[in-house]
Amino acid sequence: MKLPKSAHTSRPWLIHELTTDFEVEDVWALSTPGGPDDLPRLVSQVVTGDFPEGAPLVVRALWEARWKIGGVLGWDRPSAGLGSRVTSLKDRLPRALRDEPSGPDLNDFPFTSLYLLEDEWAAEMANGTVHTVMHIGWVPDGSGGHHGQMAVLVKPNGLFGAAYMAAIKPFRYALVYPALMRTIENTWRAGTAGPPPLRA
């Protein structure tokens, strides 16, 4: 379920201190009911999941096309990424967290984990179009349980990056997000998540 941006911005999370120059692009409630200590399980599931391999054919085709186009146009070359075009948000972390385990990186995506706390995890990625953060929080549901909440924060690379984000928006909402949410929900219900990752 898509949520208003305030569902993310109203929470007292560390990520707000690191992303003052980013925009909240999307916020989603994840159908992952659990207890107060289940965030590591959800993070493990996200980083080891089979998306987009397990997604519908049209989503896999769209995903493959994006990486092919990016390869031809140089969007994903190292000089456009973290530590080159942009500085990693790790440099903005409180000093006490910089030397702590940051949590797992995603298996099949160029996201680098920033930190893992009891109620939030964040990972970042940068290319020629955007610097983006995927944030997963673990929020109480008001009835004694908890569930995941995913936010996507972006800092487009100039006018080109803003135009790119606008161009792919219909595809994200119609195809990518629904498939991703189903994958997360189905894996959670099946209880097939891997072992809990390290805590920061």
Side-chain angles (χ1 to χ4, degrees), residues 17-100:
E17 300 177 22
L18 312 183
T19 55
T20 55
D21 51 345
F22 283 61
E23 293 290 331
V24 179
E25 183 75 9
D26 296 299
V27 184
W28 299 86
L30 304 178
S31 183
T32 55
D37 300 321
D38 279 340
L39 177 62
R41 176 188 166 199
L42 177 57
V43 172
S44 181
Q45 170 185 298
V46 169
V47 302
T48 61
D50 66 346
F51 183 87
E53 288 79 7
L57 177 60
V58 64
V59 175
R60 299 198 305 272
L62 183 65
W63 206 262
E64 184 176 350
R66 158 58 186 89
W67 291 109
K68 286 184 177 179
I69 293 171
V72 171
L73 298 180
W75 293 346
D76 307 308
R77 63 187 185 277
S79 61
L82 295 173
S84 297
R85 185 181 71 80
V86 300
T87 302
S88 172
L89 295 179
K90 286 184 177 180
D91 292 348
R92 304 183 186 183
L93 283 171
R95 186 171 300 276
L97 280 179
R98 292 180 190 174
D99 297 327
E100 294 292 329

Side-chain angles (χ1 to χ4, degrees), residues 10-187:
S10 64
R11 297 281 176 182
W13 281 323
L14 171 63
I15 194 63
H16 305 318
E17 300 177 22
L18 312 183
T19 55
T20 55
D21 51 345
F22 283 61
E23 293 290 331
V24 179
E25 183 75 9
D26 296 299
V27 184
W28 299 86
L30 304 178
S31 183
T32 55
D37 300 321
D38 279 340
L39 177 62
R41 176 188 166 199
L42 177 57
V43 172
S44 181
Q45 170 185 298
V46 169
V47 302
T48 61
D50 66 346
F51 183 87
E53 288 79 7
L57 177 60
V58 64
V59 175
R60 299 198 305 272
L62 183 65
W63 206 262
E64 184 176 350
R66 158 58 186 89
W67 291 109
K68 286 184 177 179
I69 293 171
V72 171
L73 298 180
W75 293 346
D76 307 308
R77 63 187 185 277
S79 61
L82 295 173
S84 297
R85 185 181 71 80
V86 300
T87 302
S88 172
L89 295 179
K90 286 184 177 180
D91 292 348
R92 304 183 186 183
L93 283 171
R95 186 171 300 276
L97 280 179
R98 292 180 190 174
D99 297 327
E100 294 292 329
S102 60
D105 296 332
L106 277 78
N107 283 354
D108 299 316
F109 299 92
F111 275 88
T112 300
S113 184
L114 286 167
Y115 62 86
L116 174 62
L117 303 176
E118 289 185 358
D119 62 348
E120 59 175 312
W121 171 70
E124 67 176 335
M125 182 271 290
N127 56 35
T129 65
V130 71
H131 186 183
T132 187
V133 173
M134 177 173 61
H135 180 270
I136 293 182
W138 194 242
V139 299
D141 60 14
S143 59
H146 291 70
H147 67 272
Q149 179 174 296
M150 184 178 75
V152 177
L153 300 95
V154 299
K155 185 178 181 182
N157 185 13
L159 293 177
F160 167 69
Y164 170 82
M165 291 300 297
I168 67 171
K169 190 171 186 176
F171 300 100
R172 294 201 328 266
Y173 282 103
L175 299 171
V176 177
Y177 280 133
L180 176 59
M181 300 304 160
R182 283 195 298 271
T183 298
I184 293 174
E185 178 180 350
N186 291 341
T187 306

